[in-house]
Amino acid sequence: MAWNEERARKRITKFTGEVPEGSIAVQSFAEYAAERRTKATSGEILMEKAGQIEIPLNRAVETHGAHVYANLMDFNSVLEDVGRETETSHKRALEFLNAHYSACDVLADQFGLQRVDFHGSRLHAVVLSPEGSGKEAERIGIAIAFAAAFRRLVATLGQSYPEFRTRVRIGIDSGPAVAINDGTRSDAEPLFVGSAANHAAKRADGDDEGIFFTDRAERARENGSLLNVGPLNSIVEREIMVKYDADTNAVNARAVSVNDAYRQVEARLAKSDYRPHASKPAFAFHHKEPPLSTIAYRDHPPSNAIRMEMSSLFADIDGFTAYIDNAIATGGIARAVANLFVIRRELTAVLQDDFGGRKVRFIGDCLHGIMAEGTARETDNTATIDESILAMGAMRSSFDLCRSMLAGIGSLGIAIGTDFGSTPICRIGLRGEASVRIATSRATCNSESEQRRCNGTESSIGQQAHAAARVSIRRAFGHDRKLEHLDYRTAQMMLGLVPSETADAVAVEPARAHGLSNQPNRSHHS
């Protein structure tokens, strides 16, 4: 099956009916927290200590929190052995991530943070309590203490396990955001959308390690009653103690023992399948026969991990942060969330239903997906890159349909990036069912970088994919490896699937469908 405009229109209409604006219940975090406490008291639910915030489906929760993004700066070097990705380096990378994810989880529990998501080398958590507009400085203070404690814990971990050493850069912002969940019970995807999360992530990017504030967070910290905690880039060198001015009368002096947190992390590593220097290999990699859409992440612990050549795609809704900020300011949250749900479901359908790919996760309003063509033994590199180009074009064509069929999103665009390479896939178990889906490699890192250098009308292809692609693709993307307005028909013409004179002609050179002799080739007609 390939992309088809009529089918896409029907899907968008169906998704719009499933999540109409009127079905989105908007409430404040204070209302949400009170509801959770009531249910916990009655025994209806277990009140989670920290972990991932549990947002019911079709619910939008307005929050005002301090967002913390931690970037493990040296992760890319962990991915390679002497400039090459190998099974050994990928195993080491997954062990590296598990150790630091565990460290983040332990500290999230100690500080009462909500862990939002882990994505490769980036960790996102948010401080939502104490509640109230007058408590912002206190929330930022907790974020500072958490950030400094995390940096110290990572340093301690690196002393015991040299393979886990890394510099850490942390970004902090404070402000409004909307918490939503568009996943299923077994595939929950709580997200915080809004500029506070987005700006914290941007401050976490950079070449210098340390803790970095946005201007907004710095003003709130200085204007609040929080005592100055000293130079934040050197606080990691001393025991963590963040004190609050007695006038706040909200939180007592807080002291966190990093040594105690380290002991908990070490205990987790000792019990897990990811521990370094294990007596038997924790990871067993295998090639999976495409399509990747059949991957059930729960079936792929480290002992049954996938590792194979594949394409990685990132598709980001350009302008969405400003769009959701305006919705928060003008009372349009329900419509904005409903539109986001429809767009995300349609992009996922394009990837998985039309092209046999698999969604890894959403990061805010950005979709990360993977694709492969080939046989039970090997990936067909050329066919995989062909299909990824077609999928990129189909995503833009579907997004354009969304813009024409949904109200109020005409100013949004979509930026898409892809790259190709060997990538491991598995889940890292941290909190039982809330395990983390992992598909991480140079290809995934590069595809995200390619997406980031695009605006809302551009698509970009990474160096590895560009080098392995057929001549017509390399010629179309040029030396800059970037292309304006790559929709589905343009992608078809690029691959010679339809002549430029008509979009209704039969395919001249169809891309191979997973390379299986007992399956017909896909025909990529629009």
Side-chain angles (χ1 to χ4, degrees), residues 14-21 23-24 58 182 338 341-342 345:
K14 173 177 175 288
F15 295 148
T16 303
E18 290 175 349
V19 283
E21 177 182 343
S23 72
I24 306 297
N58 288 17
D182 192 29
F341 283 175
V342 172
R345 292 181 185 185

Side-chain angles (χ1 to χ4, degrees), residues 312-316 366 392 396 414-420 442-456 458-466 477-483:
S312 169
L313 296 91
F314 276 79
D316 182 72
C366 182
M392 292 167 74
R396 187 170 302 280
I414 188 167
I416 309 174
T418 188
D419 206 0
F420 178 85
R442 294 291 295 178
T444 64
C445 295
N446 291 341
S447 58
E448 184 175 17
S449 296
E450 292 300 320
Q451 170 263 304
R452 287 182 176 181
R453 72 187 188 100
C454 293
N455 63 32
E458 293 175 328
S459 301
S460 177
I461 184 171
Q463 292 182 355
Q464 295 301 314
H466 189 266
F477 278 89
H479 294 298
D480 192 37
R481 296 179 283 102
K482 220 166 32 167
L483 191 62

